[in-house]
Amino acid sequence: MPRIVGMELRERALAVFCLNDPMDKVRETYALWSAASGLPVATRAQFADPSGPGRPARPLLVEPQEVARRSPFTPEGHAALMHSIAHIEFNAINLALDAIWRFGDMPETYYLDWLQVAHEEAKHFNLLRNHLQEAGYDYGDFSAHEGLWTMCRNTRNDVVARMALVPRTLEARGLDATPIIQAKLRKVGTPAAWSAIAILDIILTEEVGHVAIGNRWYHWLCERDGLDAQEFYAQAALQHDAPRLKPPFNILARRQAGFTEPEIAALPV
């Protein structure tokens, strides 16, 4: 396909958001990150909502309870597990791009922060897709669900709720889940499992930074709008039907990502 060139940064993020082919989206996200320092940022611009992100015809999207569960101790089960994480990372590219083009009137550093997130999510997806291909599979070979995108859609009209419930809730759950997945893979002990553990190490390290960006902008917005951060979070979680947080929690990673001690103390036990 032709390269996306020129344009103002947020408009170009929208163009990348609308791409259907995963590798086109990865390539153009990389290109946008490389070009960002030379692009103007129209912070006050408003764009027509395309109603959803560009995505390929596969994987087949089903309800969460309909996604098949397979043992990671089999080659197919390992591929299914990695596919589920790759699907999360593909959605995360779109989530970060959406945060750029959708919400106006933010400082330029907000848009550059979320472009960094999009770039790193694209890298994560690429690592996982290559891992799948080495095992004889590809992205789209298993069914998936769009739970992550549902919350993005629910918060499309409220940047404060978006910062509260996507990076600080859904992505923070990844900080908790990744060490558990890695522990299972260590029990498998195959070369493919160890390769996956190394990829997840990279993802976990960078996801701490992504959640930290969400935390920083959430608290900035709460201060700007005169909101109590903990009270607003509780209200937004109820209003938008956010998933309930469940232990165990990766407390160290959450602290590194900027959760306050009162927020950590409020986690369920």
Side-chain angles (χ1 to χ4, degrees):
M1 61 163 279
R3 295 291 301 273
I4 298 173
V5 295
M7 297 188 192
E8 170 273 331
L9 186 142
R10 293 179 61 218
E11 182 183 15
R12 188 159 159 182
L14 175 57
V16 181
F17 174 85
C18 292
L19 293 173
N20 293 319
D21 183 86
M23 295 317 296
D24 286 344
K25 195 182 297 281
V26 166
R27 185 184 68 244
E28 294 304 325
T29 299
Y30 286 170
L32 179 53
W33 172 248
S34 296
S37 62
L39 295 176
V41 184
T43 59
R44 295 183 179 276
Q46 298 294 324
F47 303 97
D49 192 337
S51 78
R55 54 190 172 196
R58 299 172 65 240
L60 173 68
L61 297 179
V62 299
E63 292 299 316
Q65 63 271 20
E66 295 174 7
V67 177
R69 301 289 186 262
R70 297 175 174 87
S71 168
F73 286 86
T74 68
E76 184 182 37
H78 175 87
L81 174 61
M82 292 299 102
H83 185 277
S84 69
I85 302 171
H87 182 66
I88 291 169
E89 298 300 326
F90 180 74
N91 273 294
I93 304 170
N94 285 324
L95 284 165
L97 293 169
D98 187 271
I100 296 168
W101 71 260
R102 183 177 297 278
F103 299 113
D105 296 318
M106 295 292 286
E108 283 194 20
T109 49
Y110 164 89
Y111 302 107
L112 295 174
D113 275 351
W114 285 106
L115 182 55
Q116 176 186 334
V117 173
H119 173 254
E120 290 174 353
E121 303 290 17
K123 179 176 76 174
H124 300 168
F125 175 79
N126 209 27
L127 287 168
L128 290 161
R129 188 181 185 216
N130 289 341
H131 182 79
L132 282 169
Q133 290 176 327
E134 287 169 3
Y137 296 87
D138 203 351
Y139 180 59
D141 285 352
F142 300 90
S143 61
H145 67 82
E146 62 170 351
L148 191 61
W149 191 255
T150 300
M151 187 57 67
C152 187
R153 189 164 54 240
N154 290 351
T155 58
R156 65 188 179 278
N157 297 318
D158 187 343
V159 65
V160 192
R162 172 67 64 83
M163 294 298 110
L165 299 178
V166 174
R168 301 180 75 251
T169 301
L170 299 185
E171 293 190 77
R173 292 172 79 192
L175 305 184
D176 304 325
T178 299
I180 296 170
I181 296 169
Q182 289 178 306
K184 291 180 180 177
L185 290 169
R186 288 188 187 96
K187 291 180 181 177
V188 175
T190 61
W194 286 109
S195 173
I197 289 167
I199 293 170
L200 292 175
D201 277 337
I202 295 168
I203 292 174
L204 179 59
T205 298
E206 294 183 347
E207 292 293 344
V208 168
H210 302 174
V211 178
I213 286 170
N215 264 318
R216 182 163 66 251
W217 287 109
Y218 175 65
H219 286 284
W220 184 90
L221 285 159
C222 285
E223 184 174 349
R224 184 195 72 176
D225 296 347
L227 301 169
D228 180 280
Q230 284 188 269
E231 285 183 11
F232 182 87
Y233 178 84
Q235 294 165 2
L238 258 167
Q239 178 183 349
H240 297 293
D241 195 27
R244 295 182 65 183
L245 299 178
K246 298 177 182 178
F249 299 106
N250 188 340
I251 299 298
L252 175 60
R254 283 176 173 265
R255 283 195 175 109
Q256 291 171 337
F259 285 98
T260 65
E261 290 307 312
E263 288 170 331
I264 289 171
L267 293 170
V269 295

